[in-house]
Amino acid sequence: MQTIRTGLRNGVRTTALSHPHQVASSSRIVLWDARRHASGPLGWLRDSLAMSVRKKNTEEEVAAARKAEAEKGQLSVFESLPAASGDEKLAGVSAQTSKKYTEHKYSTANFKISHRKLNMLGRQISGKPIDMAILQMQFSEKRASKRLKSMLAVAKDHATRLKGLQEKRLVVAEAWVTKGPKVLKRIEPKGRGRMGVREHPDSRLHVILREGKTRVELLEKERARKLKRIISAGITREDVPIRNPGPSWAW
């Protein structure tokens, strides 16, 4: 009985394959054979992974899809925001670019030096143009001068490139020193079996750069001040009484 069933099943397969247009059966055997002979076991994988050109959607299709997502509430956060008009965008850009900075603050990191020693260098560069301050630190013999020179160069670059300050007008308007957050303490041996505590302090220097007068303007101002003090004698002598006159025969 089992042999007969197998023969009938094979006969149905052969009939379906030999007469594909005459057989209109939807049995599982016929459909399985058709799929197996059409593509094989790797056909679906080949069709899925094969490179193909993606069809570009039109603007009407994209708008319809976004409208459907909006009705369902599936839009992203950026797409759900109201679109700004052209005037609002220009106003925002102009507000960002028109922001005017008047100063730039910068400082060093905490490093091992006494605040008294660092304060002397701060007094040396305070009130000077930025280029003159860098030149002073370049030729200074102090140990911390190299660190301050690097800090001033970086502060000058940030002030001119990020905040739009004029390079030729930059002046070290303020400079001050603060102590570090911690003081490193170590044992200091002394005579007669005693010991003390040696402190290794940290400190940092802060500067504020502002736009001031250039060197040429300062020289012109000084020249005008000196010329104003010069008083020449007129053609006729003024009738002004001499105050506190000395004795007549004082010579």
Side-chain angles (χ1 to χ4, degrees):
M1 191 69 179
Q2 189 173 2
T3 307
I4 297 173
R5 290 180 180 177
T6 306
L8 290 175
R9 189 180 299 113
N10 293 334
V12 172
R13 290 183 183 179
T14 307
T15 306
L17 293 175
S18 60
H19 303 284
H21 299 285
Q22 297 179 1
V23 178
S25 176
S26 61
S27 63
R28 295 181 181 178
I29 299 173
V30 176
L31 294 177
W32 184 84
D33 286 341
R35 287 196 299 269
R36 180 170 62 86
H37 290 283
S39 59
L42 300 178
W44 175 84
L45 187 63
R46 183 176 62 252
D47 297 339
S48 301
L49 301 181
M51 298 181 63
S52 61
V53 180
R54 183 179 178 183
K55 183 181 178 182
K56 186 177 181 181
N57 298 329
T58 61
E59 296 181 358
E60 292 78 6
E61 294 176 352
V62 173
R66 287 183 177 178
K67 185 177 180 180
E69 291 179 356
E71 293 176 356
K72 296 179 182 179
Q74 297 179 353
L75 287 178
S76 63
V77 178
F78 302 100
E79 293 178 347
S80 60
L81 293 175
S85 61
D87 298 338
E88 294 178 357
K89 291 180 180 179
L90 291 176
V93 172
S94 61
Q96 292 179 359
T97 55
S98 62
K99 186 176 181 180
K100 181 65 177 177
Y101 292 94
T102 58
E103 63 182 25
H104 177 64
K105 181 182 177 182
Y106 204 73
S107 62
T108 62
N110 291 317
F111 63 101
K112 182 182 175 183
I113 190 173
S114 172
H115 63 279
R116 294 183 179 89
K117 296 178 182 178
L118 190 59
N119 194 32
M120 291 190 291
L121 292 175
R123 291 178 180 177
Q124 186 176 351
I125 64 176
S126 179
K128 287 184 173 59
I130 185 66
D131 294 333
M132 182 61 67
I134 293 175
L135 191 65
Q136 291 289 332
M137 294 297 101
Q138 183 177 357
F139 292 99
S140 177
E141 297 180 357
K142 300 295 183 181
R143 184 185 60 185
S145 60
K146 294 182 180 180
R147 187 184 292 263
L148 296 188
K149 183 188 70 173
S150 302
M151 183 268 293
L152 291 174
V154 174
K156 175 185 175 182
D157 180 65
H158 288 183
T160 55
R161 185 165 51 86
L162 302 180
K163 295 191 175 181
L165 300 178
Q166 297 185 16
E167 180 180 354
K168 295 183 179 180
R169 293 181 173 271
L170 283 180
V171 178
V172 184
E174 300 179 22
W176 69 95
V177 178
T178 56
K179 295 182 179 180
K182 295 181 180 179
V183 178
L184 189 63
K185 296 183 179 181
R186 291 292 182 266
I187 296 175
E188 181 181 9
K190 295 181 178 297
R192 296 184 180 182
R194 295 178 300 174
M195 67 180 64
V197 178
R198 176 176 292 182
E199 296 182 352
H200 300 272
D202 289 350
S203 58
R204 62 192 305 180
L205 179 72
H206 309 262
V207 294
I208 292 181
L209 305 182
R210 294 194 182 100
E211 289 184 355
K213 295 183 179 181
T214 61
R215 184 169 180 82
V216 177
E217 293 176 352
L218 292 175
L219 292 176
E220 291 180 355
K221 182 180 178 181
E222 183 66 17
R223 183 172 180 273
R225 185 185 68 84
K226 290 181 179 180
L227 289 176
K228 188 177 180 180
R229 295 183 60 184
I230 298 175
I231 300 175
S232 60
I235 298 176
T236 58
R237 219 166 164 79
E238 296 181 359
D239 189 8
V240 179
I242 300 176
R243 298 181 180 179
N244 301 324
S248 300
W249 305 99
W251 64 80

